Amino acid sequence: MPIIKEVMTAKAILVIDMQRDFVLPSSACCVAGAQATVPAISRMLDYARAHGWAVIHIVRRHRPGGVDAESFRRHLFADGGQFCVEGSEGVRIVSGLEPRPGDYVVAKTRFDAFFRTDLEVLLRGLGTEEVYICGTQYPNCVRSTAVGAMERDYVVTVLTDCCSAATSAVAEANIADMLAMGIRCRPSGEIM
């Protein structure tokens, strides 16, 4: 009988939507400030990997035509438009944050990375108790995923210098709301 090595980790870092369509300034869906977070996220990923954390890249991925996109976003696919369409350049993770061997990738079509994905099965299988969240953007995917993780009884920390929003006011408002819900919001330097 073969020996199966058990892989267990108490911590995981979720890197949300750090894809070309959301990060590159030339993109139609670029989130202001997303590109500026790449160095901080990269440092945090180095730290996480060095300490045996699971690294999970959460990516938005749509079918051509956007039939699986939210109804309020389907207009972005009209007349040949697209964002984060499977197989496109825009769906790729930005340079400097690409997945490495041993990392995981979970594709989603909505804000919350738990919605209709296998993220929870993956986290439970890895023995995860704490999740650290970074990426873009605060009011949508970062916040929704943080709340989804909290609702599933994970200890949740949002890494404030590793997240972005369209404006600093939007970021600050979302941080205040998440703190009020019991979600920890800290800069990565306090974790490292």
Side-chain angles (χ1 to χ4, degrees), residues 68-91:
D68 55 359
E70 299 96 332
S71 59
F72 71 90
R73 283 189 165 167
R74 290 194 184 137
H75 72 280
L76 297 172
F77 296 87
D79 300 322
Q82 64 179 21
F83 79 98
C84 295
V85 170
E86 57 189 6
S88 71
E89 284 297 308
V91 79

Side-chain angles (χ1 to χ4, degrees), residues 13 35-47 97 134 159-163 188-189 192:
I13 185 166
Q35 191 167 38
T37 64
V38 171
I41 295 171
S42 179
R43 287 189 298 274
M44 193 64 213
L45 289 177
D46 289 343
Y47 176 86
L97 301 180
C134 58
L159 301 166
T160 55
D161 59 322
C162 297
C163 294
S188 61
M192 295 189 287

Side-chain angles (χ1 to χ4, degrees), residues 144-186:
S144 294
T145 301
V147 171
M150 178 193 67
E151 289 173 344
R152 290 165 174 83
D153 292 325
Y154 293 100
V155 176
V156 182
T157 302
V158 172
L159 301 166
T160 55
D161 59 322
C162 297
C163 294
S164 55
T167 68
S168 59
V170 169
E172 290 168 15
N174 279 272
I175 290 168
D177 285 346
M178 287 187 287
L179 285 168
M181 287 186 264
I183 296 169
R184 298 184 302 188
C185 297
R186 297 186 177 141

